[in-house]
Amino acid sequence: MANITKKVSWSSRDEDSAPGEGTPLLNGTSGAERYPRKMSGSGMFHIGRLSTVDLEEPITEQEDALLNWPKEIPHNEKLLSLKYESLDYDNSENQLFLEEERRMSFVGFRCVEIKRWVVCALIGILTGLIACFIDIVVENLAGVKYSVVKHSIENFTEGGGLSISLLLWAALNSAFIMVGSCIVAYFEPIAAGSGIPQIKCYLNGVKVPRVVRLKTLVVKVCGVICSVAGGLAVGKEGPMIHSGAVVAAGISQGRSTSLKKDFKIFEYFRRDTEKRDFVSAGAAAGVSAAFGAPVGGVLFSLEEGASFWNQMLTWRIFFASMISTFTLNFVLSIYHGKIGDLSSPGLINFGRFESESVEYYLYEIPIFMLMGAIGGILGALFNSCNYWLTIFRIRYGVPLCLCLGSSMLGSKTPAVEAVSVISKERSTVPVVGFYKIAFYALLNERNIIFLNNAALFCRTPCKGKMLHDVASGSYNPLTLGLFTLSYFILACWTYGLTVSAGVFIPSLLIGAAWGRLFGILMSVLAADESTWADPGKYALIGAAAQLGGIVRMTLSLTVIMVEATGNVTYGLPIMLVLMTAKIVGDYFIEGLYDIHIKLQSVPFLHWEAPHTSHSLTAREVMSSPVTCFSRMEKVGVIVDVLSNTSTNHNGFPVVSEFTDDGEPGKICGLILRSQLIVLLKHKVFVERAHSRLNQRKLQLKDFRDAYPRFPPIQSIHVSQDERECMMDLTEFMNPTPYTVPQETSMPRVFKLFRALGLRHLVVVDSDNTVVGLVTRKDLARYHLGKHGLEEMQLSQT
């Protein structure tokens, strides 16, 4: 480990620490050799601490300072939080599970498969209905807002009081943003932002607290409605993805733990493995509802979300996406009185290409790739600015009132700019008449060419026309430049505030604006007045380049834009542009979602282990020593271990026996904290079984009924007499846990975690004796830094 840059790490725990995630020793030495500690009355190991000094020996000043390291460390991307738990994506194949699977007939398995398709259909329908609700409510709220502004103009413009209308416009925006910010900040802070980073973490195997709860969904929907109606530089697509994931997580379980309502359906799916697949379908349905792009939704889940995939999952996700799109378009067609017209592209109005602008020439490919490079640079600049802004907000604890004020300030800017642009465009039209015509046209969405510039600032982002489907000469270059700069700053400022907001639409609008500006420049340079330099064409390419430079998506974004514009011709140029933007952007900084995952200190596992990590072995990254249980364990010992916050683990190897020194013997299984909690709750003790005090045999249904919010150990009462009872773990433990020799390289261990969705990996020696345990944090704490492989700090925050 000489080539690893060491970071200060510590393993102090409290009630908020993540169960089951042990912190390994920095020196990689087996704690069994350095830190033997026994518990009276039991043969078991305890988790190792950072110190490798025996407690009976005096502690030096350096070791004392290390042991008393403060629990709160200034938050930054170099930390790894201990508060995040892992999800159990690996099924525990104990005797109960195997008996249930063996009893199930072929017809039973077919019924389960049909239920999966039914759940996917319900996910698509409900996600589409939520998208309709958001779209209709935003449309009506924005209509009321603009009607009030129009009425104010009619009453006050004659007397030269346009400023009154401007103030009213800004005040209405502020009111919407205040409501949206307050419900997010005070009711469910996890609903802030787009939600895509949190869903990526969930699908990666990290349990983000409250991320898929009903309360989060309600706050998310209400928050994004207020944000969009309030005129912020935000979009609905990210919140729609998050909303679809929450819907999927709830529907697939057949109950609501928040409402304490159990419908007694879909009980077979009450485990992390099944829920993960449905959450992938929900995220895809959210993309499909936002963009009208079912295939793009499937590819988004594959590229950005899901960490685990199979062929049948692809078809089920596509089915959910199709149902979501159909539901959205069907309901909106009825609402708008266009029954039978299902051609709407979804919540995002990309517009359509006219026939004369669909062609491109091969010699334009280098120009498009140049725009991709520009998008990568601008995207990297956007991500870097947002990164430092977020760091400032986290480190210095920006007060909530200031965050709310920042949100409202961002809502006022578009109103001011819209009026400014209109003022510059009034030309020879009388002032009073101009303002009436201008605002009437804007509020009624009439296509008057000289008002296109003002429409950039006036309409809500999701309903504003993209800049590629209007005629040449419709936009003033100065106005486009002002819009690009102002919207770039606004979007960068807004992402990270206490509002529900997505970054897709602001990115598309920014890119479309500077792309059209680029197209105007190309048309000026085309001295032969040829039609190849069409500004609208470059607006589409610029939109793709900017969005790709920020979020670093390639294949899925290509299909989304092709489906949303209804034109396949530009598939190849868009793909080349997105690949160029990703390559250039990755040279400077990571994508926006990856940045925010790091800033939240989530133990996220990427597709591959860090380069140069082959020098590490399982012995050096594992937690050691490890808490183990015997097949027949005393109830009091189990209760003490589960109650001890310093050994707050979620997985415990079960061994055949312990040596006289208290060291564990050969491994014979693995049991989870959640399983032990259920066993203690139902008092599954050997003595009670012999005395026939048990009313019935414990079934797998009992574990599913307790999922996912298993009760804390403090809520389970165990009498003193019951503490002396014994518990047989043989029937409930997983008898075939994954194990690796202690000489296994870290990349190989990493692949096992990523490919199999593991939460615990037992490390054994040549005699199959337990020597350590590898968890997600043991792997995630190693990353590539400026000086090679580095070890991250561990924090309680």
Side-chain angles (χ1 to χ4, degrees):
M1 294 188 60
N3 62 332
I4 298 180
T5 304
K6 305 298 280 183
K7 297 288 184 181
V8 177
S9 300
W10 56 283
S11 59
S12 177
R13 304 292 177 95
D14 59 15
E15 288 78 7
D16 295 330
S17 61
E21 315 305 326
T23 305
L25 303 177
L26 288 179
N27 57 12
T29 306
S30 173
E33 302 169 0
R34 301 287 304 276
Y35 190 59
R37 180 183 176 185
K38 300 178 184 177
M39 188 173 185
S40 59
S42 66
M44 56 184 299
F45 265 0
H46 276 261
I47 183 174
R49 299 297 187 99
L50 182 65
S51 172
T52 58
V53 183
D54 191 276
L55 294 180
E56 300 297 325
E57 299 177 359
I59 300 177
T60 64
E61 292 184 3
Q62 181 179 4
E63 292 161 349
D64 182 70
L66 197 57
L67 288 173
N68 292 289
W69 191 264
K71 291 187 177 182
E72 299 294 333
I73 301 178
H75 213 85
N76 59 50
E77 83 286 1
K78 300 297 183 183
L79 295 179
L80 195 66
S81 179
L82 293 171
K83 72 178 182 181
Y84 293 105
E85 301 179 17
S86 296
L87 294 166
D88 293 302
Y89 284 164
D90 179 40
N91 291 325
S92 177
E93 294 191 350
N94 54 24
Q95 291 184 20
L96 294 182
F97 178 83
L98 294 177
E99 288 174 3
E100 181 185 79
E101 294 293 304
R102 290 164 183 165
R103 286 196 306 265
M104 191 177 298
S105 63
F106 175 77
V107 176
F109 280 110
R110 297 298 295 176
C111 290
V112 169
E113 186 63 23
I114 292 174
K115 288 180 181 179
R116 289 193 177 98
W117 288 92
V118 172
V119 170
C120 288
L122 293 175
I123 291 171
I125 292 172
L126 288 181
T127 303
L129 292 176
I130 290 175
C132 292
F133 176 78
I134 293 175
D135 194 41
I136 293 172
V137 174
V138 167
E139 181 179 338
N140 284 276
L141 288 179
V144 170
K145 179 181 71 173
Y146 289 134
S147 296
V148 172
V149 174
K150 182 169 68 173
H151 180 72
S152 174
I153 293 171
E154 292 176 343
N155 293 336
F156 296 105
T157 303
E158 297 289 346
L162 185 64
S163 58
I164 297 177
S165 301
L166 174 61
L167 292 175
L168 177 61
W169 190 355
L172 290 174
N173 282 352
S174 299
F176 283 123
I177 300 305
M178 172 63 78
V179 174
S181 299
C182 287
I183 61 176
V184 170
Y186 291 108
F187 289 95
E188 195 54 85
I190 195 66
S194 67
I196 295 179
Q198 289 83 359
I199 297 303
K200 284 187 64 175
C201 293
Y202 183 91
L203 295 175
N204 188 260
V206 181
K207 185 178 181 180
V208 182
R210 306 183 308 278
V211 71
V212 289
R213 290 192 182 178
L214 178 62
K215 183 180 178 182
T216 304
L217 174 63
V218 175
V219 174
K220 195 82 176 185
V221 171
C222 296
V224 73
I225 288 174
C226 294
S227 299
V228 176
L232 278 179
V234 300
K236 314 172 198 174
E237 74 304 318
M240 272 307 308
I241 294 170
H242 191 178
S243 299
V246 178
V247 168
I251 292 296
S252 63
Q253 304 304 292
R255 66 178 178 185
S256 171
T257 51
S258 300
L259 300 178
K260 294 180 172 58
K261 180 66 175 178
D262 193 342
F263 298 98
K264 304 297 182 180
I265 57 175
F266 308 139
E267 295 178 340
Y268 184 82
F269 304 139
R270 293 179 184 177
R271 44 181 166 162
D272 289 338
T273 309
E274 296 285 351
K275 185 190 286 188
R276 172 198 67 199
D277 293 341
F278 290 120
V279 169
S280 299
V287 174
S288 182
F291 293 99
V295 179
V298 176
L299 294 177
F300 174 85
S301 283
L302 175 60
E303 182 178 6
E304 283 294 303
S307 299
F308 314 98
W309 206 262
N310 61 59
Q311 186 179 14
M312 287 305 300
L313 181 61
T314 303
W315 288 110
R316 289 199 297 268
I317 289 179
F318 179 70
F319 178 68
S321 299
M322 287 290 294
I323 294 294
S324 176
T325 303
F326 178 83
T327 302
L328 170 71
N329 293 337
F330 180 75
V331 174
L332 289 183
S333 66
I334 295 177
Y335 177 78
H336 293 294
K338 300 178 181 179
I339 300 178
D341 180 12
L342 302 179
S343 60
S344 171
L347 297 185
I348 312 302
N349 186 4
F350 273 96
R352 301 293 185 190
F353 271 117
E354 300 297 336
S355 58
E356 66 268 17
S357 62
V358 297
E359 297 182 356
Y360 67 93
Y361 302 91
L362 290 178
Y363 55 77
E364 290 184 276
I365 295 296
I367 301 177
F368 294 155
M369 296 183 68
L370 173 62
M371 295 182 67
I374 295 174
I377 294 173
L378 292 178
L381 177 62
F382 183 98
N383 293 352
S384 181
C385 292
N386 186 263
Y387 163 77
W388 289 110
L389 181 61
T390 306
I391 281 287
F392 175 82
R393 288 167 176 164
I394 294 176
R395 283 185 176 176
Y396 297 99
V398 178
L400 185 58
C401 59
L402 185 57
C403 291
L404 298 178
S406 301
S407 302
M408 291 186 291
L409 177 63
S411 67
K412 294 182 176 66
T413 308
V416 176
E417 291 180 335
V419 174
S420 302
V421 171
I422 294 175
S423 300
K424 294 178 182 179
E425 294 284 344
R426 65 173 179 262
S427 184
T428 59
V429 182
V431 175
V432 175
F434 170 79
Y435 282 124
K436 284 189 176 181
I437 295 174
F439 276 94
Y440 283 178
L442 289 174
L443 302 180
N444 294 321
E445 297 190 356
R446 294 176 184 170
N447 189 17
I448 300 178
I449 291 180
F450 80 93
L451 294 175
N452 280 329
N453 298 295
L456 288 174
F457 301 94
C458 187
R459 297 172 185 164
T460 56
C462 295
K463 283 298 181 185
K465 290 271 188 176
M466 296 302 292
L467 300 174
H468 68 259
D469 60 343
V470 293
S472 301
S474 300
Y475 291 97
N476 187 314
L478 183 61
T479 303
L480 289 174
L482 173 64
F483 178 82
T484 301
L485 179 61
S486 61
Y487 231 69
F488 187 96
I489 296 174
L490 282 174
C492 185
W493 176 264
T494 302
Y495 196 82
L497 292 176
T498 54
V499 293
S500 297
V503 76
F504 271 60
I505 292 305
S507 303
L508 289 171
L509 289 175
I510 294 168
W514 70 256
R516 190 173 186 90
L517 196 60
F518 188 92
I520 293 174
L521 175 62
M522 296 302 297
S523 63
V524 172
L525 296 178
D528 57 352
E529 298 184 357
S530 61
T531 59
W532 67 269
D534 178 34
K537 175 170 51 179
Y538 289 98
L540 176 67
I541 299 299
Q546 183 65 49
L547 181 55
I550 291 177
V551 301
R552 311 292 161 76
M553 293 163 53
T554 53
L555 183 60
S556 60
L557 186 54
T558 300
V559 177
I560 286 173
M561 298 199 71
V562 167
E563 287 186 282
T565 56
N567 192 295
V568 185
T569 307
Y570 280 82
L572 176 61
I574 290 176
M575 172 57 78
L576 293 176
V577 165
L578 292 174
M579 291 180 63
T580 305
K582 176 177 174 57
I583 292 172
V584 173
D586 286 342
Y587 179 79
F588 297 101
I589 194 173
E590 291 180 299
L592 185 64
Y593 299 141
D594 292 328
I595 289 174
H596 279 263
I597 288 174
K598 279 191 174 182
L599 288 175
Q600 295 172 22
S601 302
V602 178
F604 188 89
L605 296 182
H606 295 278
W607 286 107
E608 298 290 341
H611 301 299
T612 72
S613 61
H614 282 84
S615 58
L616 292 175
T617 62
R619 183 197 299 113
E620 294 169 311
V621 301
M622 67 185 183
S623 301
S624 177
V626 158
T627 304
C628 298
F629 289 126
S630 299
R631 284 178 178 267
M632 297 286 293
E633 191 61 77
K634 185 180 293 186
V635 173
V637 172
I638 296 176
V639 172
D640 290 340
V641 170
L642 298 183
S643 303
N644 191 347
T645 57
S646 65
T647 58
N648 202 16
H649 277 207
N650 263 333
F652 305 92
V654 180
V655 297
S656 56
E657 59 183 3
F658 287 89
T659 65
D660 295 337
D661 296 331
E663 297 183 1
K666 294 183 178 180
I667 184 172
C668 57
L670 181 75
I671 193 162
L672 303 176
R673 169 182 288 266
S674 58
Q675 295 173 317
L676 293 172
I677 289 289
V678 175
L679 295 179
L680 290 173
K681 179 181 178 180
H682 291 272
K683 301 189 183 301
V684 186
F685 307 147
V686 174
E687 288 77 5
R688 291 173 64 90
H690 290 167
S691 61
R692 297 183 180 179
L693 292 177
N694 277 347
Q695 299 296 322
R696 61 178 178 84
K697 182 181 178 181
L698 201 65
Q699 300 176 355
L700 205 58
K701 182 180 181 299
D702 298 299
F703 294 90
R704 289 170 178 164
D705 289 341
Y707 176 85
R709 302 184 192 177
F710 296 95
I713 183 62
Q714 292 78 11
S715 66
I716 298 176
H717 175 71
V718 178
S719 65
Q720 190 61 39
D721 291 338
E722 291 174 335
R723 288 178 58 88
E724 300 301 320
C725 295
M726 301 297 293
M727 185 181 291
D728 188 357
L729 305 180
T730 305
E731 186 179 5
F732 310 101
M733 69 179 185
N734 181 6
T736 56
Y738 290 100
T739 62
V740 293
Q742 52 187 338
E743 299 300 329
T744 307
S745 67
M746 178 182 168
R748 190 170 183 84
V749 173
F750 195 96
K751 288 179 182 179
L752 287 174
F753 261 81
R754 287 294 279 111
L756 301 175
L758 300 183
R759 187 175 187 178
H760 307 96
L761 183 63
V762 182
V763 183
V764 296
D765 59 13
S766 57
D767 296 326
N768 209 28
T769 300
V770 177
V771 295
L773 192 70
V774 179
T775 62
R776 170 177 293 268
K777 293 185 181 67
D778 298 333
L779 300 177
R781 67 193 180 108
Y782 293 99
H783 74 114
L784 283 178
K786 296 181 180 179
H787 307 288
L789 196 62
E790 295 181 351
E791 186 178 341
M792 300 176 72
Q793 299 175 2
L794 300 176
S795 168
Q796 295 285 2
T797 56

